[in-house]
Amino acid sequence: FLSPKLENKTKGKLQKQVCQVVLDHFEKQYSAELGDVWSSVRDVLTYPSCWQHAVLLNKFSHAADLEDTLCAQGYHPAFSATLPYLPRSLKCYVSRTPGRFPSQKHQTGRLKEYYLLNAASVLPVLALEVKDGEDVLDLCAAPGGKSIVILQCASPGQFHCNEYDELRFRWLRQTMESFIPHPQFDLITISNLDGRQIGELKPEFFDKILVDAPCSNDRSWLFSFDIQQATLRLLRRRELSVLQFQLLRSAIKALRPGGSLVYSTCTLSKAENSDVINLILNSCSNVIPVDIREIAKAVSQEFTFHSDTQQHELLVLPEKGRAWGPMYVAKLRKIQST
């Protein structure tokens, strides 16, 4: 951590960058939804100097001494062998101290050795448990981090990465080109479709589906530099849960009976998390919740979880020294309709 003098100076500087309109909105909502926990979460979210970044190694490219370099700098493996699903090919390193490992620039024709991400972003993929040969859909895939994690874990039969937003779609394609070698890259479908229509286009086609839905991204919204844009976002926030519900309905149609679906967001908002999942469970008779408490138990050394969740869901709460999240994860399984 920084010296007290520098910390105060930095904190003052960063405090000015927090968008007060968004903070006031979050303060009202999250103090009601999270209670006493909110104040410590708020302190992390509004103070980027204590944020941490995990280093996900690229199995297709990383240098032999990269793990030694990370360990020498105080990094250690993020995930424990007690997890129900942890492929040996998945290597993700974290450090308890804030800071960021140097990022690598995109170079055409050259693969990157690692991907920097919030370690909580790996949890939805661990919950999905992709196995070799399964047909997999990443419905809202940009910027591509979770797609990269899926490919570190397994070799899907068919892998479809979709992103509706044109700009984010181009970002997704570039990410995949930076990490995946050509033989594998050529087997991946990268599409620019409206996710709400994929269920109709590919009914009962996939074994596993990840719906990392568009959400009110708490970290980035807090640092909105355009107050008008921030105000508009907050006014339209309720529309997100409608979109999330529609994306989930589409994903369920695209899922084979017996297949699994993981829903995730990077917001603390109950309206976009458990409320959406409860609405799906109450309106879709062909999906059932899947218990994922074992994941939380296995990674409790590295992550802090909200205690008030059901057995089929997790909510990662950022705290100092474990500044991962917010990340909501829920798992469902499709059953044969009766």
Side-chain angles (χ1 to χ4, degrees):
F1 279 72
L2 304 169
S3 68
K5 192 174 177 183
L6 186 60
E7 188 168 355
N8 290 336
K9 189 178 175 185
T10 310
K11 193 167 187 176
K13 189 179 174 186
L14 288 166
Q15 217 47 47
K16 288 173 192 167
Q17 297 174 355
V18 172
C19 182
Q20 198 61 46
V21 175
V22 176
L23 183 58
D24 291 346
H25 183 92
F26 283 1
E27 191 76 46
K28 189 176 176 183
Q29 180 184 352
Y30 294 151
S31 56
E33 289 182 8
L34 299 172
D36 296 341
V37 175
W38 165 241
S39 61
S40 60
V41 171
R42 180 195 58 214
D43 289 349
V44 173
L45 291 179
T46 56
Y47 187 29
S49 289
C50 73
W51 294 4
Q52 295 155 270
H53 294 82
V55 182
L56 175 78
L57 273 52
N58 185 8
K59 72 177 184 184
F60 301 110
S61 168
H62 76 261
D65 59 350
L66 182 54
E67 287 181 79
D68 294 338
T69 303
L70 286 164
C71 292
Q73 292 188 25
Y75 283 81
H76 60 273
F79 300 104
S80 113
T82 57
L83 274 160
Y85 170 86
L86 185 67
R88 291 181 65 186
S89 54
L90 178 70
K91 296 189 176 181
C92 184
Y93 283 80
V94 293
S95 169
R96 279 291 166 91
T97 52
R100 188 184 176 109
F101 203 68
S103 56
Q104 294 179 306
K105 286 191 168 61
H106 175 74
Q107 291 179 280
T108 307
R110 186 171 178 182
L111 295 182
K112 291 185 180 182
E113 296 181 4
Y114 55 86
Y115 187 87
L116 301 180
L117 76 174
N118 186 316
S121 297
V122 180
L123 296 176
V125 179
L126 294 179
L128 194 59
E129 300 189 18
V130 176
K131 295 178 178 62
D132 289 348
E134 290 182 326
D135 296 328
V136 181
L137 169 64
D138 188 350
L139 188 64
C140 314
K146 293 179 182 68
S147 293
I148 298 297
V149 179
I150 287 169
L151 290 167
Q152 302 306 311
C153 291
S155 300
Q158 296 196 51
F159 189 30
H160 187 156
C161 305
N162 181 68
E163 177 55 50
Y164 184 43
D165 182 272
E166 183 63 44
L167 194 65
R168 287 171 63 82
F169 167 72
R170 293 203 294 269
W171 188 6
L172 168 66
R173 179 171 278 280
Q174 186 181 87
T175 302
M176 300 302 278
E177 285 174 351
S178 294
F179 286 89
I180 311 303
H182 263 291
Q184 285 88 348
F185 182 84
D186 295 339
L187 299 173
I188 300 166
T189 301
I190 304 176
S191 66
N192 187 204
L193 302 167
D194 183 338
R196 292 170 292 188
Q197 259 109 58
I198 283 185
E200 298 292 341
L201 295 169
K202 295 199 164 187
E204 299 194 350
F205 189 86
F206 298 100
D207 301 297
K208 301 279 168 74
I209 299 179
L210 175 63
V211 183
D212 186 46
C215 67
S216 49
N217 182 326
D218 294 351
R219 281 192 193 232
S220 68
W221 281 30
L222 273 166
F223 290 87
S224 305
F225 58 86
D226 183 333
I227 292 175
Q228 280 185 310
Q229 185 200 47
T231 308
L232 186 64
R233 274 175 167 174
L234 293 171
L235 286 169
R236 299 182 65 180
R237 198 177 185 202
R238 286 181 188 168
E239 295 171 20
L240 283 167
S241 57
V242 176
L243 172 62
Q244 291 155 350
F245 178 78
Q246 290 169 338
L247 289 167
L248 276 168
R249 286 291 296 261
S250 175
I252 291 164
K253 283 181 186 171
L255 194 62
R256 290 179 181 137
S260 300
L261 178 154
V262 168
Y263 173 75
S264 60
T265 73
C266 51
T267 179
L268 298 162
S269 176
K270 184 172 172 286
E272 298 175 53
N273 293 341
S274 53
D275 286 358
V276 174
I277 291 297
N278 288 339
L279 191 58
I280 283 288
L281 289 169
N282 291 331
S283 61
C284 300
S285 59
N286 61 342
V287 287
I288 56 170
V290 178
D291 190 338
I292 54 172
R293 287 175 297 180
E294 284 300 313
I295 295 175
K297 203 183 295 181
V299 298
S300 59
Q301 290 289 307
E302 294 296 338
F303 299 88
T304 303
F305 295 96
H306 190 31
S307 56
D308 188 21
T309 53
Q310 296 182 75
Q311 62 183 26
H312 59 274
E313 56 184 1
L314 309 171
L315 179 60
V316 180
L317 301 174
E319 68 169 34
K320 277 184 181 164
R322 302 196 289 190
W324 313 115
M327 181 61 61
Y328 175 81
V329 184
K331 186 170 184 177
L332 307 174
R333 180 173 294 119
K334 186 172 182 177
I335 56 174
Q336 198 78 48
S337 298
T338 50

